[in-house]
Amino acid sequence: MNLDWQTITHVTKVDPAKPLPPDLGVLEGTDLVLVGGSDDVTERNTLAAIEQVNSQFPALPVLQEPYSATHVSTDTIENADFLSIPAVYNGDRDHFVGKHVDLFTEVGRKPDELLGTGVPIVGDLIASKGRDAISDLSSKLFGEGYVVQHLDSAAATMAGVRECYTPEQVAGAALATETFYGFPVFYIEYSGTYGGPVDVEAAAPYLSDTVLLYGGGIDSHEKAIEILEAGADAIVVGDCFHDDPDTYLETIPTTE
Amino acid sequence: MNLDWQTITHVTKVDPAKPLPPDLGVLEGTDLVLVGGSDDVTERNTLAAIEQVNSQFPALPVLQEPYSATHVSTDTIENADFLSIPAVYNGDRDHFVGKHVDLFTEVGRKPDELLGTGVPIVGDLIASKGRDAISDLSSKLFGEGYVVQHLDSAAATMAGVRECYTPEQVAGAALATETFYGFPVFYIEYSGTYGGPVDVEAAAPYLSDTVLLYGGGIDSHEKAIEILEAGADAIVVGDCFHDDPDTYLETIPTTE
């Protein structure tokens, strides 16, 4: 992975199922666009969102974070710069290891056995590129160690999250990411609600090689700064990008 | 981790609960000693086994692979060169993520809160060394992506393994280890029975940075060579080390 996280403090999460703001120029100050969502998201609207960002901001890196393999195709992979797959520490077995092994089992299968399988990420990709696709995919794909901290969210339901972690457990998951699992990113996700700086403060001291992201409920300059000062490498801002561009602009630290 | 896997093709697994062979000199030709087991293993007999190997072969690297946190103490950590913790792909959630986060949560807790906890690996270590112990531990500790392929074994029961993987799933788990999880080792464990070269042949093409180990039922020169020629970086030989030193010596490739 060649994403230069040193330069990234503000990430915009684009939900492909929601309308983009009238003026996409508000993205000017952000450092990375993350495309992904659950309800009503398809491969088609994902690709459209990626292409719109690419056409207006060709130098802005775009990361696809699919919630399902059906959101991914050769087209999305070719148009996005990176592909991230969450591994949810406080989710069920499927969302930390089960589905991932299934995915890589598909990836590893022989190309000619893959034609027509129901896993587009793999079938299409390998059919079009052959075995070299495996190393192509590996260079774009990385894992995110995830903690979902808002039970009443689509993300929590989807990943089988039954309880939020205490700050001590968040710290443990951060330390496990840094020293045991090799994910380059540790992501604290409050999905639609503001969790404050506590979990970020707990995780930050244990992360040195790992990038710390926080997402959820950031809708002001003060909240953005609070999370960054608590030790996050970058904040992820989603809802207000779609709903309230003025508020969104306030969350970009450099355009205060 | 500074273990030089390039020089390691033969690993001896020492079960601390079993008597060592009368002449420990048979270890002369092995490249690494792995100390660990389940039934009747204690911290005390683990430490004794590590110390016996160290005293006779001070240059031979010793890796402790604990089955339980109760097998670990400051003494075992200080006497062993490395500490490995399996993450079992085809096991239950606890044995791939649950217990690991619990462990690192303990590691991350403040030293003074740890005194007297029931997790010796952490309590003793951190009590004796303070917060620096965390980085000490990290430098010795690494994860092993594990597949347990013998259902009727203590390892399978302990890790909650309900079914063996097909060779394609073994390949998928290998690819996931190489490109997604950061474990430096992928271990195919047939625990007491010989699984043949099929799984090793399936996994090997997907492993470049990851070391491939095979263990289970190797009791002849032919089997040792078959597994190595199938693509394993090293074989792990256990039972016959304790039970039949002559057979054990045959499994060492360089002492044919």
Side-chain angles (χ1 to χ4, degrees):
Chain A
M1 189 190 54
N2 297 311
L3 195 48
D4 182 7
W5 287 103
Q6 299 276 359
T7 64
I8 295 170
T9 55
H10 189 274
V11 179
T12 302
K13 183 162 186 176
V14 175
D15 185 333
K18 293 185 183 171
L20 294 172
D23 176 11
L24 207 56
V26 293
L27 287 173
E28 181 69 41
T30 198
D31 305 310
L32 172 69
V33 169
L34 190 163
V35 177
S38 50
D39 297 344
D40 302 322
V41 171
T42 64
E43 184 272 339
R44 195 165 205 168
N45 58 25
T46 298
L47 183 60
I50 295 170
E51 285 177 336
Q52 275 190 272
V53 174
N54 278 345
S55 68
Q56 198 156 340
F57 294 94
L60 187 59
V62 174
L63 166 65
Q64 182 182 6
E65 188 186 78
Y67 281 49
S68 152
T70 63
H71 301 173
V72 187
S73 68
T74 21
D75 287 337
T76 67
I77 291 175
E78 277 174 12
N79 281 278
D81 300 292
F82 301 98
L83 182 71
S84 70
I85 299 191
V88 183
Y89 283 103
N90 57 341
D92 57 26
R93 181 182 176 282
D94 260 1
H95 289 85
F96 197 90
V97 56
K99 289 192 172 179
H100 307 84
V101 173
D102 292 347
L103 168 69
F104 286 100
T105 299
E106 290 296 318
V107 171
R109 278 192 181 128
K110 286 176 190 153
D112 53 345
E113 290 171 9
L114 271 168
L115 293 165
T117 63
V119 187
I121 185 175
V122 177
D124 293 357
L125 186 72
I126 305 228
S128 70
K129 293 194 174 179
R131 273 200 178 246
D132 290 345
I134 293 175
S135 57
D136 281 5
L137 181 64
S138 301
S139 69
K140 284 199 167 194
L141 184 149
F142 62 93
E144 295 172 319
Y146 236 77
V147 177
V148 178
Q149 294 287 71
H150 182 201
L151 280 187
D152 186 20
S153 68
T157 304
M158 185 168 285
V161 174
R162 292 193 189 172
E163 55 186 359
C164 299
Y165 271 171
T166 64
E168 281 189 339
Q169 287 174 309
V170 171
L175 186 56
T177 305
E178 174 80 13
T179 63
F180 191 74
Y181 304 102
F183 310 127
V185 171
F186 183 69
Y187 194 136
I188 298 169
E189 172 63 278
Y190 269 87
S191 196
T193 188
Y194 184 64
V198 176
D199 286 348
V200 172
E201 284 166 354
Y206 298 109
L207 301 172
S208 153
D209 296 333
T210 312
V211 170
L212 175 55
L213 301 185
Y214 168 95
I218 294 180
D219 56 8
S220 70
H221 178 70
E222 289 68 30
K223 287 174 184 164
I225 296 302
E226 183 172 51
I227 296 296
L228 290 170
E229 288 185 345
D233 292 294
I235 51 169
V236 183
V237 178
D239 292 344
C240 62
F241 168 72
H242 293 282
D243 304 336
D244 185 352
D246 288 341
T247 297
Y248 165 77
L249 286 170
E250 280 181 30
T251 68
I252 302 178
T254 50
T255 60
E256 180 187 356
Chain B
M1 188 189 56
N2 297 312
L3 195 49
D4 182 8
W5 287 103
Q6 300 276 358
T7 64
I8 296 170
T9 56
H10 188 276
V11 179
T12 302
K13 183 162 185 176
V14 175
D15 185 332
K18 292 185 183 171
L20 293 172
D23 175 11
L24 207 55
V26 293
L27 287 174
E28 181 71 40
T30 198
D31 306 310
L32 172 69
V33 169
L34 190 162
V35 177
S38 50
D39 296 344
D40 301 322
V41 172
T42 63
E43 185 272 339
R44 194 165 204 167
N45 58 26
T46 299
L47 182 60
I50 295 169
E51 285 177 337
Q52 275 190 274
V53 174
N54 278 345
S55 69
Q56 198 154 344
F57 293 94
L60 187 59
V62 174
L63 166 64
Q64 183 182 5
E65 189 185 78
Y67 282 47
S68 152
T70 63
H71 300 172
V72 187
S73 67
T74 20
D75 286 338
T76 67
I77 291 174
E78 277 174 13
N79 282 278
D81 299 292
F82 300 98
L83 182 70
S84 71
I85 300 192
V88 184
Y89 283 103
N90 58 339
D92 58 24
R93 181 183 176 282
D94 259 2
H95 290 85
F96 196 88
V97 55
K99 287 191 174 180
H100 307 85
V101 173
D102 291 348
L103 168 69
F104 285 100
T105 299
E106 291 295 318
V107 172
R109 279 196 178 125
K110 289 177 189 150
D112 53 346
E113 290 171 10
L114 272 167
L115 293 165
T117 63
V119 186
I121 184 175
V122 178
D124 292 358
L125 186 70
I126 305 225
S128 70
K129 291 193 176 182
R131 272 196 178 248
D132 290 346
I134 293 175
S135 58
D136 281 5
L137 181 64
S138 301
S139 70
K140 283 198 166 192
L141 184 149
F142 63 92
E144 294 173 320
Y146 235 79
V147 177
V148 178
Q149 293 288 72
H150 182 203
L151 280 188
D152 186 20
S153 67
T157 304
M158 186 169 286
V161 175
R162 290 191 191 176
E163 55 187 358
C164 298
Y165 271 170
T166 65
E168 280 189 339
Q169 288 174 308
V170 171
L175 186 55
T177 305
E178 175 80 12
T179 64
F180 191 74
Y181 303 101
F183 309 127
V185 170
F186 183 69
Y187 193 136
I188 298 170
E189 171 64 278
Y190 270 88
S191 197
T193 187
Y194 184 62
V198 177
D199 287 346
V200 172
E201 284 166 355
Y206 298 108
L207 300 173
S208 154
D209 296 333
T210 312
V211 170
L212 176 54
L213 301 185
Y214 168 95
I218 294 180
D219 56 8
S220 70
H221 178 71
E222 290 67 29
K223 287 175 184 165
I225 296 301
E226 183 172 51
I227 296 296
L228 289 169
E229 287 185 347
D233 292 295
I235 51 169
V236 183
V237 178
D239 292 345
C240 62
F241 168 72
H242 293 282
D243 304 337
D244 184 353
D246 288 340
T247 298
Y248 165 79
L249 286 170
E250 280 181 31
T251 69
I252 301 178
T254 50
T255 59
E256 179 187 356

